[in-house]
Amino acid sequence: MLPVREWVGLISEPSSRARSAFLAGCVIVGVLLAAVGAYALAGDFIELPAYPEDTDLSLYLRAADALPGSPYAEDVNHGFDRYGYPPLLAIILAALKFVVGPTLILWLWPALCGAALAASIVLLARSFGVKLSWQVIVLILGAALLGHVFRADLLHGQVNIFILLALAGGIYLRSKNRIITAAILFAVMMSLKPFMGAVAIFFLLRKDWRMAAWTLGAGAAVFFLSFAPFGAGAFDAFSGWRESTQHFTSAPFAAKPDNQSIFGMALRLFTPTEHGAPLINNPALVPVAVGAAAIVAAALGVLGLFAGRRMESPARQDRAVLLLECSMIVALFMACSPLTEGDHMIITLAGLASVLIVGARRLQAGAATSRLWVAAMIAWALPSLVLFSPRQFSFFYATWDDWFGIDGLEILLTGRSFYLLMLAGGLTALALWQDRRLKTAAI
């Protein structure tokens, strides 16, 4: 078996005969995977003859068409789901639709999602301390296009891929000391998915006061300005957004199968749902379980960021470590979030890329913490088994029909996202802490 140094050389260092053969194979396999993935994606579109009906894009466009009226009105939110984002996304779609027309927008938006996926992978592969060969990137892109979760998000026009790009891009810009530009990216990201406010928490925790202030200020500005187009109806629109948010975090909705955070699992454990009888019918235990998980997550975050550490400026810190620390906090936050759906795990690619970079360095150096870093790398790779799987893979429950009649201890199997995110965040925290304790590397 090739040691780590040689594997890293095959994908990132100057030429050799073995490397040339390896990279040629990457291109061939990557193109084949991309072709199969493109064929599968085309089939996904063909299976929806009334596209974009029954997709998230249809919901976004209905919200956009409702402007300058409220995108949260009942006649807008029928069918597939309801619009629960701040108005920014609807405004963006309305502007694009006005420019390109109602037909082209149906293909432009998924194309933009695909471009964001490619840009995210390139950014993660070439801007955080390593520069993977373009041939290897072709392989990764091909594997991503074949992945069921990625194809589903492209079909639905979901914004998770844009979130990944904004997260990686914002951390990269912060490491270059471009604070205002980074804050704008984070602000847009938070107005697409408010739970990504975890990034602001990260900067507050590491006492990066300037970045935290700009992130919170820009986030508040983008959020409230997105209600400005409603004029006198801005307050009603804001109330509609609040009501919609409450719906998504309410017990009936949050207990749905795809929500596998601790909150969703606790609801199924301690309250009656349509999916089965609870293990213990005591709703008061729900906040207890969530609170206990949040305390553990907070303790791990503190351990990973603070224990035995003197804070330094992000502009002087290793860029991959900065991204990994931020991803750790985001993962721990998402594990305890009221709503963490399966495709939200796309965001974990930032953690996977950064832990592979940092972990490989520790392995190459023969660090005493190498085994712990291997465990952290495996933990971050586990969500990718779901993301890159060509077929739907939902841990123990793959289809909606499997989600009825789940009783007793079996309910504990419905916390996939919680387990995976806590494992990745927790092992990362331990590895970072041990590195500092043993003075393995300058972190």
Side-chain angles (χ1 to χ4, degrees), residues 301-391:
V302 169
L303 183 70
L305 282 181
F306 297 122
R309 176 182 190 174
R310 179 178 296 176
M311 285 292 178
E312 61 180 334
S313 167
R316 294 197 300 270
Q317 186 178 5
D318 182 280
R319 191 176 296 159
V321 174
L322 184 65
L323 178 62
L324 180 57
E325 289 177 348
C326 184
S327 297
M328 173 187 70
I329 296 300
V330 170
L332 294 171
F333 188 88
M334 287 173 59
C336 304
S337 171
L339 185 67
T340 299
E341 298 179 325
D343 60 345
H344 290 167
M345 302 298 275
I346 287 175
I347 300 166
T348 64
L349 285 184
L352 175 61
S354 54
V355 78
L356 289 175
I357 295 169
V358 177
R361 289 173 181 164
R362 302 298 184 263
L363 291 173
Q364 282 184 282
T369 54
S370 292
R371 291 185 179 180
L372 191 52
W373 279 106
V374 169
M377 287 189 281
I378 293 172
W380 281 103
L382 289 176
S384 294
L385 296 178
V386 179
L387 297 178
F388 286 91
S389 171
R391 301 183 64 83

Side-chain angles (χ1 to χ4, degrees), residues 166-224:
L167 174 63
I171 294 295
Y172 173 78
L173 290 168
R174 177 61 189 98
S175 71
K176 303 283 284 185
N177 219 27
R178 297 175 61 181
I179 292 176
I180 297 176
T181 310
I184 292 172
L185 271 183
F186 292 142
V188 171
M189 177 181 73
M190 291 187 293
S191 278
L192 293 178
K193 296 278 186 179
F195 69 79
M196 290 305 295
V199 172
I201 295 175
F202 165 68
F203 288 118
L204 286 170
L205 288 174
R206 72 180 323 280
K207 301 179 182 178
D208 187 359
W209 307 122
R210 189 178 174 207
M211 187 70 243
W214 272 103
T215 299
L216 290 170
V222 170
F223 175 78
F224 286 110

Side-chain angles (χ1 to χ4, degrees), residues 80-100:
F80 179 72
D81 210 335
R82 63 189 295 177
Y83 186 78
Y85 304 89
L88 179 65
L89 179 59
I91 293 171
I92 292 172
L93 263 296
L96 283 176
K97 186 175 180 180
F98 176 79
V99 172
V100 304

Side-chain angles (χ1 to χ4, degrees), residues 26-34 121 133-144:
C26 286
V27 172
I28 294 170
V29 174
V31 170
L32 288 174
L33 292 177
I121 290 174
S133 300
W134 289 103
Q135 294 92 330
V136 174
I137 292 175
V138 169
L139 176 61
I140 298 171
L141 288 171

